[in-house]
Amino acid sequence: MTTIPPAGDAPGRVAVINYRSVLDYPAMFPECADRLYVFSHHDLAHTEGLAHYEYVPQCESIPYAELAIRRMAHELTFTHVVTDNEYDLERAAHIREDLGLPGQSRASALAFRDKAVMKETAGRAVRVPGFARLTAFGDLTSFIEKFAYPVVVKPVKQGGSRDISVLRDEDDLLAFSRRPWREDLMAEEFVEGPMYHVDAVISEGYRFVASSRYLRSCLGVFTGHNNGSVQLRPESAFARRLEEYLDRVLASFDTPDTSAYHLEVFHTPDDELVLCEIASRVGGDRIPQLTELTYGVDLHATTLRAACGLPVPQPPRDTPGEVHGSVSVLPQGRPVRAPGRPPFPWVRHYEVNTRLAPDAVTLHSAHHLCFAVVRGDGPEQVEARLLETERWLMARLAEADANDTENAESTRGN
């Protein structure tokens, strides 16, 4: 398989702040695993041969990993600091700047992380919803007077639709006023229309872009609607339009030499594209799995290796024979048991979340009881198969018995 050459010298020591529980760093970095210093949010299964490995509970909210890397840097020379996690982008950028290392700057990380700064930046190139940072409750009422209902209120640095509220009328505003006030909120104009996402890895000599449509609104998970994603055919006119849109958005940002991107955009009823958000990291949920099934591209390995100057396989030039999609069944808020694998031949993968609490409720857009991945000739066939799979799953959810509950509690305790 054709590869792009490394951007410079092979990496020396690399500090990694890891998030995903399934990443295998020795496999992704076979030529330099013994120079990786990994601090992980989750306890990884594959750590053999790493120079240093620590599982750091609550890594996202405590600064231990940053302190440990900075202390190590007094004795060791690092050439790169990388992360796969949205919430560690600024932390990693801060370490890089202090150590004089290449990679995304703090200003760039902030522009992709803070949704108000993001809208200000992208608004120079594309249409963005009306928005305002909220410093006091009066800012919210003023925003509603200007834009009218509905409005969206969300933290400026959260992800996965966490802690988002859609205020549709005065009753919703009254209910919102009874919650503790947060200092990190913004208000945003509500935009009608389906949402698409564009997932990319862009580096010198490397470019991969793929477009998809969410099966339903990501906010629908909080009213009991299962979520999912349907890939577009890359040669379609709308996929090409979305790729051009991504380039216009990125042109307004200070972009690092190598990065993954996850862009979300509304397609309005009058055929306008309106930015929702853009992140400088790999998309979450099933996006990496769907991408690898259709295109053979490992988004995480490609991004991390390219960021360290290591060669990566070139993306495929031929259009894929089929595309994929996924549907995730939400936690039901009551003890239920997920059914077995759906019997359809076009189901490529089915997985039950065995670590879910028996009576869990939906906390974010990627929260799930089980999910299925299906294949098809194009997005229309994939969507039809996803909906059929969803109906089959929902019709077979069973009440969990005492043994199910005990097993789930035992799993959570391990």
Side-chain angles (χ1 to χ4, degrees):
M1 183 178 294
T2 304
T3 62
I4 64 169
D9 294 335
R13 297 182 181 91
V14 179
V16 181
I17 304 177
N18 171 74
Y19 178 75
R20 284 180 63 86
S21 60
V22 297
L23 295 189
D24 183 342
Y25 283 93
M28 287 194 298
F29 292 84
E31 64 272 76
C32 61
D34 60 350
R35 300 195 294 276
L36 299 186
Y37 295 72
V38 179
F39 298 85
S40 181
H41 292 234
H42 300 283
D43 198 6
L44 298 178
H46 304 285
T47 61
E48 61 281 355
L50 298 176
H52 180 89
Y53 167 75
E54 284 189 61
Y55 163 46
V56 185
Q58 299 180 311
C59 185
E60 198 165 75
S61 58
I62 65 174
Y64 168 77
E66 179 176 354
L67 177 62
I69 293 168
R70 289 177 180 276
R71 284 184 168 178
M72 286 180 172
H74 292 308
E75 305 293 334
L76 305 173
T77 299
F78 288 104
T79 59
H80 299 82
V81 176
V82 297
T83 183
D84 70 324
N85 184 31
E86 166 91 12
Y87 300 97
D88 287 315
L89 291 175
E90 290 179 273
R91 179 184 293 176
H94 200 160
I95 299 171
R96 280 191 216 101
E97 288 197 354
D98 287 351
L99 299 182
L101 302 180
Q104 186 174 39
S105 68
R106 291 173 63 186
S108 173
L110 177 66
F112 284 102
R113 283 280 296 122
D114 186 302
K115 301 179 196 307
V117 178
M118 177 195 304
K119 296 287 195 305
E120 292 167 1
T121 304
R124 299 195 290 262
V126 298
R127 184 190 158 192
V128 300
F131 70 95
R133 198 183 292 270
L134 303 179
T135 59
F137 188 77
D139 296 335
L140 176 57
T141 56
S142 297
F143 187 87
I144 293 171
E145 289 174 4
K146 180 178 180 180
F147 289 96
Y149 293 108
V151 300
V152 180
V153 181
K154 57 187 176 183
V156 296
K157 289 188 179 182
Q158 273 286 19
S161 301
R162 292 171 177 84
D163 303 328
I164 291 182
S165 299
V166 179
L167 308 182
R168 299 185 180 277
D169 52 33
E170 289 290 295
D171 288 340
D172 285 348
L173 179 63
L174 179 62
F176 186 80
S177 74
R178 296 181 183 278
R179 303 177 191 171
W181 180 255
R182 296 176 55 154
E183 302 295 332
D184 63 341
L185 296 177
M186 66 179 291
E188 193 170 280
E189 178 186 12
F190 188 87
V191 180
E192 295 284 354
M195 184 185 288
Y196 291 77
H197 60 91
V198 184
D199 297 278
V201 180
I202 300 174
S203 182
E204 183 177 356
Y206 185 92
R207 179 182 176 91
F208 171 79
V209 181
S211 298
S212 307
R213 175 174 49 81
Y214 285 116
L215 188 63
R216 301 186 180 95
S217 166
C218 295
L219 298 181
V221 299
F222 299 112
T223 53
H225 295 95
N226 298 323
N227 196 15
S229 187
V230 180
Q231 291 177 326
L232 305 185
R233 290 208 59 87
E235 71 275 17
S236 68
F238 199 72
R240 291 196 296 269
R241 181 181 172 187
L242 289 172
E243 182 170 354
E244 292 169 356
Y245 182 86
L246 169 69
D247 289 337
R248 282 197 297 154
V249 172
L250 290 179
S252 63
F253 283 82
D254 171 19
T255 55
D257 292 337
T258 297
S259 184
Y261 299 100
H262 175 66
L263 177 146
E264 295 178 333
V265 56
F266 298 104
H267 184 213
T268 68
D270 57 356
D271 194 33
E272 188 173 14
L273 297 179
V274 180
L275 179 71
C276 177
E277 296 175 4
I278 183 169
S280 56
R281 45 84 177 167
V282 174
D285 200 12
R286 316 293 155 232
I287 291 170
Q289 183 178 9
L290 297 177
T291 303
E292 190 154 16
L293 283 172
T294 297
Y295 298 99
V297 174
D298 184 329
L299 292 173
H300 285 283
T302 300
T303 304
L304 292 170
R305 286 181 60 85
C308 293
L310 292 168
V312 296
Q314 281 284 6
R317 294 183 178 181
D318 297 333
T319 57
E322 58 188 15
V323 292
H324 293 81
S326 68
V327 62
S328 297
V329 174
L330 299 176
Q332 302 296 296
R334 57 188 173 87
V336 294
R337 182 173 63 253
R341 183 187 177 100
F344 312 117
W346 25 260
V347 172
R348 290 289 304 271
H349 181 79
Y350 175 67
E351 189 171 311
V352 175
N353 186 357
T354 59
R355 301 186 65 84
L356 192 71
D359 55 352
V361 297
T362 300
L363 300 177
H364 51 79
S365 60
H367 213 186
H368 67 282
L369 171 68
C370 59
F371 73 89
V373 173
V374 312
R375 59 178 174 82
D377 294 335
E380 296 82 7
Q381 186 178 66
V382 168
E383 180 174 4
R385 289 174 171 180
L386 286 176
L387 295 178
E388 185 174 354
T389 301
E390 179 186 43
R391 288 191 294 270
W392 189 93
L393 291 170
M394 295 301 294
R396 288 162 177 80
L397 295 181
E399 295 296 326
D401 57 28
N403 289 334
D404 294 317
T405 302
E406 289 174 6
N407 290 338
E409 292 293 340
S410 175
T411 300
R412 283 194 295 156
N414 292 336

